Amino acid sequence: MFLMHYKIRKCFLVGMRHSLWICHLRGKHERSGVAILKQKSVQYSKSSVLVNTPARRCLSHECVRTITSSYTANTNSTNKVELLGRFYTRDDYTNVTNRILSKVGKNLHNKMYHPLWLIKERIKDHFYKQYMGRSGSPLFSVYDDLGPVVTTEQNFDRLLIPFDHPSRQKGDNYYLNSTHMLRAHTSAHQWDLMHSGLDAFLAVGDVYRRDEIDRSHYPVFHQMEGVCLFSNHQLFAEVEHKDCCQLFEQGLRTPDKQETHTLEAVKLVEFQLKQTLSKLITHLFGEGLEIRWVDCYFPFTHPSFEMEIKFQGEWMEVLGCGVMEQQLVNSAGAHEKIGWAFGLGLERLAMILYSIPDIRLFWSENELFLKQFLVPDINQQITFEPYSKYPSLTNDISFWLPSKGYTENDFYDLVRSIGGDLVEKVSLVDTFTHPKTRKTSHCYRIEYRHMERTLTQAEINTIHGNIEKSAVEELGVEGRF
């Protein structure tokens, strides 16, 4: 198998770097989406109930009334998108909405005593205290203010994501134009941070993805990823017969290793990675937690794993990780090193740890929500207490799909743009293909709920009517309203 001594824990984190999962800085720091790094100082500062209202439902396959569009699309009056003081020329890829743009710069992870800030600070504090460099300073540097605008090269190409990979699709991302986008993962900064010479770092920020609508999904959420690189000396420092150990070889790619890595190097990096993350999750959730590892696939790591924890009797996936693809490490200039990377979602951890039932609550400015996280100790146990539970209202919408170009995420994004955070969930409840015309019809159920008051059917009918009208005009569907 591989050569290692059981005391190798000490060689653990002496120099690492890479990141993975699924920039532009303000003012003078902007350089075409390439992050200019700023070291942060160590301080504590700054993702249902169904009311069965039949109103406006249309589950029947019989078309009550067909509405067709008088024009194909609703185009913006300007040919540029303005964001954080820069202008981006629109093109066929531009699909970012004003509602999404309004979220940019909120930086919930940097707002003191916000639950996402608490999670970030707990993880940061753990890494600072657990892993020290030779000089006695923290081994890992933390970057939590990297701007969210990146190039498609940063978001995809440098991470070895194939050109035809589904994750590049317009339906899954928010593009400013064909060359710039809102980052889909904090891994978009991975190459730049490694190329700057960093061996161990954590990157935290808001990320943007077009997705389904329910209590655990939101188009803006927050990620943290960690990267750590090892030299030959660092990785094998505590291994017996270390002079015989090497990081690299010219071999074959197998399910256990890359073609350029030795098996003993990969197994040791994997051991270090899993030990690091097990310690982190135990720090967050407490002792006695059951953990298991599931093999998976990421374009930028191999082998790759997901960590699952048993929480309240159920197995839950909490993060992804793996041994970094050496091609990526080499391209960033760290040819003589091997490393690991992990990525996790702050909302997911916060919802589990603090029992927060709805991802929309993270955007609440209600003091009844925020004051529950105003604690003297970031590690203090908190259980969120719901301060209200208002009833939901449910309306259905049905339409014939256009012959081409329609994606469900287009519709979800349109619903979010019009209904905003009043929309709790959107479900595809029926699909029908006409036997003669072969046209396909979708019926979606939209659940509306205000977090702080009771909605009226009249105001929901107005919002729902606007969704119907916009679906016809912007998506080219034929309404069955």
Side-chain angles (χ1 to χ4, degrees), residues 136-162:
S137 59
L139 178 64
F140 283 82
S141 53
V142 178
Y143 300 90
D144 59 7
D145 60 354
L146 301 174
V149 178
V150 298
T151 64
T152 53
E153 180 182 9
Q154 288 173 299
N155 201 79
F156 300 120
D157 299 339
R158 289 178 179 173
L159 296 173
L160 311 179
I161 297 175

Side-chain angles (χ1 to χ4, degrees), residues 320-338:
C321 61
V323 178
M324 297 172 60
E325 284 285 353
Q326 196 60 38
Q327 180 183 344
L328 171 58
V329 178
N330 291 347
S331 70
H335 302 81
E336 302 302 319
K337 295 185 178 181
I338 186 174

Side-chain angles (χ1 to χ4, degrees), residues 35 89 173 201 238 331 428 440 476:
T89 302
N173 301 285
F201 59 83
E238 300 295 326
S331 70
L428 177 61
T440 298

Side-chain angles (χ1 to χ4, degrees), residues 273-389:
L273 169 62
K274 290 180 177 179
Q275 186 187 60
T276 302
L277 296 177
S278 295
K279 285 184 176 180
L280 170 62
I281 296 301
T282 298
H283 168 72
L284 295 175
F285 287 87
E287 297 290 341
L289 188 70
E290 289 189 61
I291 295 174
R292 70 182 183 188
W293 299 93
V294 180
D295 293 342
C296 63
Y297 166 78
F298 298 111
F300 24 75
T301 57
H302 180 76
S304 302
F305 314 96
E306 288 179 344
M307 175 196 276
E308 295 184 352
I309 63 171
K310 198 167 189 178
F311 186 75
Q312 296 181 346
E314 295 185 2
W315 286 104
M316 306 180 69
E317 182 266 318
V318 291
L319 58 84
C321 61
V323 178
M324 297 172 60
E325 284 285 353
Q326 196 60 38
Q327 180 183 344
L328 171 58
V329 178
N330 291 347
S331 70
H335 302 81
E336 302 302 319
K337 295 185 178 181
I338 186 174
W340 55 243
F342 73 85
L344 56 83
L346 297 184
E347 278 88 348
R348 180 137 179 93
L349 290 178
M351 291 178 78
I352 298 171
L353 282 167
Y354 303 143
S355 301
I356 297 175
D358 194 312
I359 196 170
R360 293 175 297 167
L361 281 167
F362 291 109
W363 296 89
S364 174
E365 297 183 355
N366 191 319
E367 283 300 311
L368 295 176
F369 174 74
L370 296 175
K371 72 179 183 181
Q372 296 190 42
F373 303 94
L374 188 62
V375 292
D377 181 359
I378 60 172
N379 294 306
Q380 179 174 322
Q381 184 175 351
I382 303 170
T383 300
F384 171 68
E385 297 182 4
Y387 47 87
S388 62
K389 183 66 174 181

